[in-house]
Amino acid sequence: TEHDRAQQLHTARVLASIVESSNDAIIGKSLDGIIQNWNAAAERLFGFSADEAIGRHISLVIPPERIAEEDQIIARLKAGQRIEHFETERLRNDGQRLIVSLTISPIKDESGNVVGASKIVRDITEQRRIEKHEHELLQETAEANAKFHAFFEQGALFAGIMDLDGTLLDANRLSWEACGYTREQIVGKKFWDGPWWTPSK
């Protein structure tokens, strides 16, 4: 009916508006990889305008060594599978590589046949850069701690770490072993409560 057609047109316009205003890049493509839809966020992310992208193959933004991923993605889509949070690399028009998270859903016709794919692309380049930097800092800290601990343990003279209230948090092994004490007699007590402390009279 006329009412149903008007309702469908309204729904299509609402969906198109949502896609176009999304902060995530949303790309529609056929099963042979031809780009059919390219929203404003995709333009910002990849640097290609919709006019430059639509009608071209999706390999436009795929690094050459990752082209085989596309065949795997298409095979899964044809099986009706949805692919979520698939991390990979893609290319901008200036050659810059982006680390992205892809969510890809099959597009079906009225008979339920898969005829295309809807791809949501989220740029996680900065997120992964920060995570890598934090990992490197943790590694450097662990290495510095290991070096300090080795130096700390090998000292023949007393070396200790105390809290502000005088509680001995750690002491090097040679210092308490040379005095005939155990770690438990020393660590965790106030320094002046330890067995090696002799108050002046």
Side-chain angles (χ1 to χ4, degrees), residues 129-173:
R129 187 196 67 77
I130 291 170
E131 288 173 359
K132 181 182 177 185
H133 181 63
E134 288 175 347
H135 178 72
E136 288 170 351
L137 286 178
L138 286 172
Q139 264 190 320
E140 288 173 10
T141 302
E143 288 169 7
N145 282 341
K147 288 176 183 176
F148 168 77
H149 193 69
F151 175 79
F152 178 81
E153 284 293 346
Q154 290 167 7
L157 299 175
F158 170 78
I161 301 172
M162 281 195 302
D163 203 347
L164 291 176
D165 66 357
T167 300
L168 197 60
L169 302 175
D170 202 357
N172 60 327
R173 176 180 295 275

Side-chain angles (χ1 to χ4, degrees), residues 28-181:
K29 64 180 184 179
S30 63
L31 285 183
D32 57 2
I34 301 302
I35 298 167
Q36 297 173 326
N37 302 97
W38 187 267
N39 73 343
E43 291 185 330
R44 292 191 297 271
L45 179 61
F46 292 109
F48 293 101
S49 68
D51 288 341
E52 291 172 312
I54 292 172
R56 296 180 68 178
H57 193 270
I58 193 66
S59 58
L60 176 71
V61 294
I62 302 178
E65 74 279 7
R66 291 186 177 269
I67 291 294
E69 287 179 358
E70 185 64 13
D71 292 336
Q72 296 165 8
I73 287 168
I74 294 300
R76 291 177 62 180
L77 289 170
K78 284 180 176 177
Q81 296 178 19
R82 186 170 187 260
I83 301 166
E84 295 193 60
H85 311 302
F86 175 63
E87 287 193 20
T88 186
E89 286 187 341
R90 290 296 179 256
L91 288 174
R92 281 181 49 83
N93 67 343
D94 58 6
Q96 178 186 343
R97 290 189 176 232
L98 302 169
I99 302 172
V100 298
S101 175
L102 305 178
T103 295
I104 311 165
S105 302
I107 297 173
K108 298 180 181 180
D109 63 15
E110 292 178 357
S111 302
N113 300 311
V114 178
V115 295
S118 172
K119 182 181 294 188
I120 299 174
V121 187
R122 181 164 294 176
D123 182 8
I124 57 172
T125 307
E126 183 64 12
Q127 178 185 335
R128 289 295 174 263
R129 187 196 67 77
I130 291 170
E131 288 173 359
K132 181 182 177 185
H133 181 63
E134 288 175 347
H135 178 72
E136 288 170 351
L137 286 178
L138 286 172
Q139 264 190 320
E140 288 173 10
T141 302
E143 288 169 7
N145 282 341
K147 288 176 183 176
F148 168 77
H149 193 69
F151 175 79
F152 178 81
E153 284 293 346
Q154 290 167 7
L157 299 175
F158 170 78
I161 301 172
M162 281 195 302
D163 203 347
L164 291 176
D165 66 357
T167 300
L168 197 60
L169 302 175
D170 202 357
N172 60 327
R173 176 180 295 275
L174 290 178
S175 66
W176 47 262
E177 279 188 347
C179 298
Y181 303 128

Side-chain angles (χ1 to χ4, degrees), residues 162 179 181 185-186 190-200:
M162 281 195 302
C179 298
Y181 303 128
Q185 289 176 288
I186 305 299
K190 298 282 195 295
F191 181 76
W192 47 86
D193 290 338
W196 52 24
W197 180 266
T198 305
S200 301

